[in-house]
Amino acid sequence: MDFGFDVISAEEYERQRELYGPLTEALRRLIGAGIHTDVDEDTVRQAQSAIEAATELLERSQRSVTSTLRHEGTGRPLAWANPAIGLRNAIAPPMVIHHEDDGRAWSEFSLSGAYEGPPGWVHGGISALVLDHILGEAASEGLTRPKFTGTITLKYLRGTPLGPLRAEAWIDRVDGAKTFARGTLSDAEGVTVEAEGVFIQPAWARDAG
């Protein structure tokens, strides 16, 4: 299965990032406000009406086809609906992925109550989402080479608290079409979750190479 990409210029990328990034942050704030609000019934109904009105505004023009953009300068895909890092997806953790020359990928970010499992702690599935994505970033050289998760194994060392966190990943070894990656999720006290994953280059990409 191959994927088509629409190329986007650096200028258009910046325009869309500056336009839609704040909208996504506003939606994230709205999600948090909805989770924690304790306003009276009339205010809840007033807020609901305002949200529905804003939704109708955004629904006036909708894309009918889902496509992935590729940055003209970097070659990186911009999957802006991605639930792990999508710029236009308010449920995505607010991660910005950085890449080092040695292939290591990392991100420092903060998780709010929208990602809570047990009170005060990050849901284990969110930890898995974060680590699956950042291992994939490392294994695929910043998403520039098609690699898909074959298996991923996580070891939860202790609870991951809400708040500031760091995720990082690196390639352990490569064996043919398989790339083995490792990574961690950490708080200020150290590692909370360890991960190992196998990422596989699909047959169509092997044939093309």
Side-chain angles (χ1 to χ4, degrees):
M1 177 173 59
D2 202 348
F3 297 94
F5 292 92
D6 295 327
V7 177
I8 185 172
S9 68
E11 292 78 13
E12 178 61 14
Y13 165 75
E14 285 299 327
R15 186 192 73 81
Q16 292 198 31
R17 186 181 65 82
E18 291 177 3
L19 177 63
Y20 293 113
L23 173 63
T24 301
E25 285 303 318
L27 291 170
R28 283 198 182 105
R29 183 181 175 190
L30 176 62
I31 290 170
I35 291 171
H36 298 291
T37 190
D38 195 26
V39 297
D40 59 66
E41 291 184 13
D42 287 343
T43 304
V44 169
R45 294 190 179 93
Q46 181 182 355
Q48 180 182 343
S49 295
I51 292 167
E52 290 172 348
T55 301
E56 290 177 3
L57 283 175
L58 295 173
E59 288 177 340
R60 287 181 180 177
S61 179
Q62 296 276 292
R63 292 177 297 165
S64 59
V65 177
T66 299
S67 62
T68 298
L69 302 174
R70 185 180 293 280
H71 193 285
E72 184 179 47
T74 66
R76 279 179 55 83
L78 307 170
W80 282 353
N82 187 299
I85 58 163
L87 178 74
R88 295 179 63 172
N89 192 336
I91 69 170
M95 293 196 297
V96 176
I97 309 296
H98 304 274
H99 295 272
E100 301 296 338
D101 291 340
D102 62 1
R104 185 175 295 259
W106 62 273
S107 181
E108 293 181 346
F109 52 96
S110 184
L111 292 183
S112 68
Y115 305 99
E116 186 177 67
W121 303 93
V122 176
H123 191 290
I126 298 299
S127 299
L129 171 70
V130 166
L131 285 165
D132 179 44
H133 184 83
I134 202 161
L135 263 67
E137 288 264 358
S140 64
E141 299 179 28
L143 305 182
T144 61
R145 297 180 179 274
K147 301 282 180 72
F148 298 106
T149 308
T151 61
I152 185 167
T153 303
L154 294 101
K155 184 177 182 180
Y156 295 85
L157 305 180
R158 58 186 175 86
T160 301
L162 296 173
L165 298 169
R166 178 184 174 93
E168 57 183 309
W170 58 92
I171 292 176
D172 186 47
R173 67 186 190 280
V174 178
D175 183 6
K178 297 180 179 179
T179 299
F180 296 78
R182 299 170 64 88
T184 59
L185 182 64
S186 306
D187 66 0
E189 303 301 319
V191 175
T192 62
V193 187
E194 296 176 343
E196 299 180 2
V198 181
F199 295 81
I200 302 172
Q201 185 181 37
W204 57 262
R206 283 174 254 165
D207 295 341

